[in-house]
Amino acid sequence: MDFVFLSAFSHFRSPWAIVSYDITCQWSKHFWDRIREFPPHLQVDSASMELNFVIPKFHFAAHGTGDEAGDTEHAPYSFNYKPGVGREDGEGIERCWVDADGAARST
């Protein structure tokens, strides 16, 4: 996942980005440390780019609601608390999967 993400972002020029991933609460841990091991052309500069990691809303319930003890650590990953995202749910990429299912067996 790191390689795919960094390859895509090597062409991305923006001071900030919202990164939506269903297990971002785990994947984003030690992210900045891991990318230092990649070649310089793939690295994202933490000083010049702010990455905001969020969990898509459909997947968020699987991480806990925040009402139970121990679940509140997922609140920082909620779309609801990120400035600049509006009322996004982060699930758009998965909505087209049903149309692609027929091709899955042949690809």
Side-chain angles (χ1 to χ4, degrees):
M1 182 61 189
D2 290 342
F3 177 76
V4 171
F5 178 82
L6 294 173
S7 294
F9 264 72
S10 67
H11 304 287
F12 187 75
R13 303 290 180 249
S14 177
W16 67 278
I18 301 291
V19 180
S20 175
Y21 184 33
D22 59 351
I23 60 166
T24 200
C25 55
Q26 294 299 314
W27 176 68
S28 64
K29 288 181 181 177
H30 310 292
F31 173 79
W32 297 109
D33 295 329
R34 290 193 317 271
I35 66 166
R36 286 189 196 107
E37 298 179 20
F38 281 84
H41 72 281
L42 291 176
Q43 292 184 17
V44 176
D45 182 14
S46 63
S48 63
M49 176 179 265
E50 177 187 350
L51 296 179
N52 292 285
F53 298 97
V54 294
I55 299 170
K57 288 186 178 181
F58 179 76
H59 293 85
F60 201 82
H63 294 264
T65 61
D67 296 334
E68 302 166 16
D71 288 339
T72 56
E73 68 269 7
H74 286 93
Y77 299 103
S78 173
F79 268 92
N80 293 339
Y81 301 120
K82 294 294 180 184
V85 298
R87 298 302 298 166
E88 176 62 51
D89 67 1
E91 297 291 348
I93 193 71
E94 294 192 22
R95 288 193 184 95
C96 64
W97 287 3
V98 70
D99 296 329
D101 281 349
R105 291 186 271 300
S106 64
T107 57

